[in-house]
């Protein structure tokens, strides 16, 4: 039996809604700390017998690899960074 993880808050491959994001695009190439930063709804089933805990990882591909570039005057982080 395979484990199934579902969410009513986020959709695989889609942008995390602002209510669950820490920062949101400010429209000028930077980020504003105006996200809701709320945990999304998660539901799971089908874990193997004896499972004692879970580790959930949500990857944000929009975070720049070099954090020193974030919110720096005169710098715009490319959309694909």
């Amino acid at each position: 039996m395979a484990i199934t993880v579902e969410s009513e808050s986020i959709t695989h491959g889609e942008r995390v809604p602002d209510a669950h994001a820490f920062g949101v695009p400010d429209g000028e190439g930077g980020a504003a700390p105006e996200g809701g930063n709320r945990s999304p709804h998660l539901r799971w089933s089908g874990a193997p017998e004896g499972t004692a805990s879970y580790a959930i990882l949500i990857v944000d591909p929009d975070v720049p690899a070099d954090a020193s570039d974030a919110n720096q005057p005169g710098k715009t982080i490319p959309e694909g960074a």
Side-chain angles (χ1 to χ4, degrees):
M1 176 181 278
I3 189 168
T4 300
V5 179
E6 300 172 292
S7 176
E8 295 173 5
S9 304
I10 57 177
T11 303
H12 177 73
E14 297 293 322
R15 180 184 162 125
V16 173
D18 291 352
H20 305 288
F22 175 73
V24 296
D26 67 3
E28 297 177 11
E34 297 172 357
N37 200 26
R38 293 183 29 220
S39 296
H41 164 269
L42 294 174
R43 169 179 53 243
W44 49 86
S45 61
E49 187 175 329
T51 299
S53 62
Y54 297 91
I56 305 293
L57 175 66
I58 297 177
V59 177
D60 184 352
D62 297 327
V63 174
D66 183 354
S68 67
D69 284 342
N71 289 337
Q72 297 300 313
K75 283 193 175 184
T76 300
I77 298 172
E79 219 175 284

